[in-house]
Amino acid sequence: MMLINCPHCGPRAQSEFIYERTVDSVPPAGVSNDKAMQTLFTRGNPRGVDEEIWRHTFGCRAWMVVTRHRVTNGISHVRAVGPEALP
Amino acid sequence: MNRYSAFGLLRGALNGQKHWQPAWRDPEPKAHYDIIIIGGGGHGLATAYYLAKVHGLRNIAVLEKGWIGGGNTGRNTTIVRSNYRLKPLHDLFEFGLKLWHNLSDELNYNVMFSPRGAMFLGHSDADMVKLAERGDAMRCDGIDADLMTRDEVAKLEPLLDMSRNARFPIEGGLIQRRGGTARHDAVAWGYARGADSFGVDIIQKCEVNGFIRDGDAVVGVETTRGRIGAGRVGICVAGHSGHVAGLAGLKLPIESQTLQAMVTEGVKPMINSVIMSQSLHCYISQSDKGGIVFGGDPDNWPSYAQRGHPMVMEGAIAQGLALVPALSRLRMVRTWSGVTDMSFDGSPIIGETPVRNLYLNGGWCYGGFKATPASGWTYAHTLATGSPHALNAPFSLERFMTGATIDETGTGPMPNSR
Ligand SMILES: Cc1cc2nc3c(=O)[nH]c(=O)nc-3n(C[C@H](O)[C@H](O)[C@H](O)COP(=O)(O)OP(=O)(O)OC[C@H]3O[C@@H](n4cnc5c(N)ncnc54)[C@H](O)[C@@H]3O)c2cc1C
């Protein structure tokens, strides 16, 4: 099990979190249909580092972006998203 | 090819079995092949076999980065069945199931296919309605499916917890009697030996790490054993589809995830069929050696680690023990995992890619072993003729753009299901 450092709650067991999707698969507002489809339905799926959106579902329930290596499971960075992350 | 037979064994007994030869050669790569298949799992080897056998092609190579069958072919729980709800799926898998029934003879290699019955349990009225609907859909296409009462289920699997206060009460089931299990390694080895006998080069320890391009076409591959030219290239790398297609600049509707399995110590026969469930994600069968083979859900986040997380296994085990309480007395001897290529509708992709001369066979998720013969057959057709076989035409890569996705679970289009 991984230990994910929630920006709000500190290090917590992975079983409290749910993986949602990758950052690169969220279509920006206002893009064309084709581009939106492309973004929604394809993934870089790298055998290396990717930015993933996880949710602390059984904790503070906030979304966060986890930068993780897909082979070693090493997490190099976690940052908050949503209004609470705004300056 | 030196045919295996009982008579050959007897004759061998007279001279200390010294007649055994390696089952396939270990050739150096040639400078150019008509067709290169990347990935020496069951699917890649079956493709090479049918390219040679059915299409008469000979100048073919299978490039494998490790050893053949060392990927998901050698890691899976070997369940073979064709009981899918949607027509494109059950047609493809049924074509495969028919090939399975004759595969040992076809390959002159014992793949130990054991049609002991593949049974889905139903735990509620809603489950039974879903199972009946699935069975009807199959029977309309001439595929065997029998709805079972509670008593019939209990008779087939006496160790199931049939009590009314069971954690997962059992209302009945749906069985495909022609389904069962097979010996995974033997499938890879049998196809390899067959393909090799037609002159196919099986090249192990040869990782593809780039494509050679000529304008918009692929004309060869870069490998750890040098550059190799090719007329057509077929990707067939299971969990590594995203990575290898990425080398050609493609982004696929696939996310790689870990799928785990485990096996207990060997015991006398106690599980007679393959037990699955309409509502749970846990499947139980007994190997010919006696071990209880167990599998469950994939670890639901992207990974190429080939190393699973115990909490996921724990979930599958909890379900299994609730269904068959006697399993709690067994010791688990091994767990392992494989990298699977989860597609967004749960169905495979077999067909061309936007890059000329480059083809893709992937997205098999957790269920591609049973398709090995059908996947090889249809992919061989696609690679030999440049256009899909009727059975794999629905499984094109474009379906995600056109919206013609094929929902594997048969419960409605849910692109978010992965
Ligand atoms: C734990 C587990 C349980 C499963 N249970 C079942 C089941 O019960 N029933 C069922 O039908 N299916 C099951 N599956 C799914 C099934 O195993 C796969 O869908 C199927 O084996 C895929 O076959 P393949 O030949 O494409 O893959 P593989 O056997 O994985 O072959 C792909 C090969 O490509 C090679 N490769 C990768 N990258 C490169 C490269 N760059 N260059 C050269 N070679 C490369 C790999 O080394 C590998 O040998 C299970 C999978 C797992 C992991």
Side-chain angles (χ1 to χ4, degrees):
Chain A
M1 184 153 15
M2 296 181 274
L3 196 62
I4 300 178
N5 195 3
C6 172
H8 312 286
C9 314
R12 302 297 281 254
Q14 182 204 345
S15 50
E16 296 181 8
F17 296 78
I18 287 183
Y19 164 74
E20 174 59 28
R21 60 196 306 138
T22 56
V23 171
D24 75 346
S25 68
V26 181
V31 296
S32 68
N33 281 352
D34 275 2
K35 183 89 184 87
M37 285 293 279
Q38 192 73 30
T39 310
L40 277 172
F41 278 106
T42 62
R43 297 289 185 276
N45 198 16
R47 198 157 71 191
V49 176
D50 207 352
E51 288 201 308
E52 302 166 347
I53 303 173
W54 289 68
R55 185 175 189 230
H56 195 185
T57 311
F58 305 105
C60 65
R61 306 176 73 192
W63 300 100
M64 60 207 66
V65 171
V66 175
T67 309
R68 192 174 66 93
H69 195 288
R70 300 256 174 98
V71 181
T72 64
N73 281 325
I75 295 173
S76 50
H77 188 64
V78 183
R79 69 181 155 85
V81 291
E84 63 277 23
L86 296 174
Chain B
M1 184 170 80
N2 197 351
R3 280 188 73 80
Y4 297 155
S5 66
F7 178 68
L9 263 184
L10 280 178
R11 200 175 41 199
L14 299 177
N15 63 2
Q17 302 288 353
K18 288 203 197 80
H19 66 295
W20 290 97
Q21 299 289 322
W24 53 86
R25 296 162 298 129
D26 182 18
E28 282 301 314
K30 291 192 238 167
H32 187 275
Y33 292 93
D34 295 339
I35 297 182
I36 284 182
I37 295 155
I38 310 174
H43 289 211
L45 295 163
T47 305
Y49 177 80
Y50 293 119
L51 273 170
K53 167 100 197 263
V54 178
H55 300 277
L57 298 174
R58 291 293 182 269
N59 191 22
I60 305 166
V62 178
L63 309 182
E64 164 55 50
K65 74 171 175 180
W67 62 94
I68 59 169
N72 292 350
T73 299
R75 293 163 193 270
N76 83 96
T77 48
T78 77
I79 301 169
V80 174
R81 57 187 176 89
S82 67
N83 52 2
Y84 286 79
R85 165 70 179 81
L86 296 188
K87 185 168 171 56
L89 286 162
H90 64 225
D91 282 354
L92 178 72
F93 286 102
E94 175 62 15
F95 180 80
L97 188 54
K98 291 203 174 102
L99 293 175
W100 273 109
H101 276 262
N102 192 31
L103 199 56
S104 294
D105 280 347
E106 166 73 23
L107 298 176
N108 179 232
Y109 203 97
N110 188 359
V111 299
M112 296 169 73
F113 177 58
S114 157
R116 58 185 69 178
M119 174 173 65
F120 275 84
L121 300 173
H123 306 285
S124 60
D125 286 353
D127 271 7
M128 292 311 295
V129 170
K130 286 303 285 179
L131 289 175
E133 182 192 293
R134 183 199 297 227
D136 287 349
M138 291 163 59
R139 292 180 76 122
C140 285
D141 282 327
I143 303 172
D144 77 301
D146 291 314
L147 208 57
M148 300 167 85
T149 62
R150 245 173 80 80
D151 290 346
E152 285 165 338
V153 171
K155 193 159 168 235
L156 178 63
E157 295 293 358
L159 292 178
L160 282 170
D161 183 354
M162 299 299 293
S163 61
R164 279 297 178 190
N165 57 0
R167 171 69 184 84
F168 303 111
I170 294 167
E171 299 298 337
L174 180 75
I175 191 164
Q176 180 172 38
R177 296 187 201 279
R178 292 155 59 243
T181 59
R183 169 89 171 100
H184 46 17
D185 292 330
V187 175
W189 299 337
Y191 274 119
R193 174 165 166 268
D196 178 88
S197 75
F198 288 117
V200 171
D201 281 358
I202 297 167
I203 302 166
Q204 305 186 70
K205 298 194 205 113
C206 180
E207 176 165 3
V208 171
N209 45 31
F211 289 96
I212 307 170
R213 299 287 283 257
D214 181 7
D216 67 342
V218 158
V219 293
V221 292
E222 308 270 3
T223 79
T224 46
R225 294 178 69 172
R227 289 163 72 99
I228 311 175
R232 287 188 174 138
V233 178
I235 300 174
C236 201
V237 294
H240 300 275
S241 302
H243 172 75
V244 173
L247 299 173
L250 296 174
K251 256 183 151 184
L252 301 179
I254 284 179
E255 202 161 75
S256 294
Q257 294 186 356
T258 296
L259 182 64
Q260 310 187 56
M262 59 164 223
V263 65
T264 69
E265 61 193 316
V267 288
K268 286 186 178 170
M270 64 182 281
I271 303 289
N272 303 313
S273 62
V274 178
I275 304 176
M276 292 163 288
S277 155
Q278 172 67 22
S279 283
L280 310 176
H281 210 126
C282 138
Y283 31 92
I284 309 168
S285 64
Q286 188 163 18
S287 78
D288 293 338
K289 272 197 295 192
I292 305 296
V293 182
F294 232 105
D297 263 329
D299 295 12
N300 268 314
W301 56 90
S303 172
Y304 283 94
Q306 219 160 244
R307 189 173 69 247
H309 289 225
M311 72 181 191
V312 178
M313 212 62 244
E314 214 176 351
I317 294 168
Q319 294 181 352
L321 295 191
L323 292 175
V324 185
L327 293 177
S328 69
R329 307 294 293 274
L330 297 184
R331 277 166 297 201
M332 189 200 296
V333 289
R334 263 182 312 125
T335 75
W336 63 91
S337 59
V339 186
T340 54
D341 37 349
M342 307 301 286
S343 67
F344 292 136
D345 57 1
S347 296
I349 301 163
I350 317 171
E352 44 187 17
T353 70
V355 179
R356 203 145 56 82
N357 298 343
L358 184 65
Y359 295 79
L360 173 70
N361 180 339
W364 286 98
C365 304
Y366 34 66
F369 178 70
K370 62 178 78 66
T372 304
S375 163
W377 186 287
T378 56
Y379 201 30
H381 180 99
T382 310
L383 283 165
T385 63
S387 54
H389 186 280
L391 286 170
N392 68 307
F395 297 97
S396 69
L397 186 54
E398 295 102 56
R399 72 175 187 270
F400 297 93
M401 286 308 266
T402 58
T405 51
I406 305 166
D407 166 42
E408 185 249 10
T409 49
T411 49
M414 291 186 299
N416 259 337
S417 62
R418 306 277 166 249

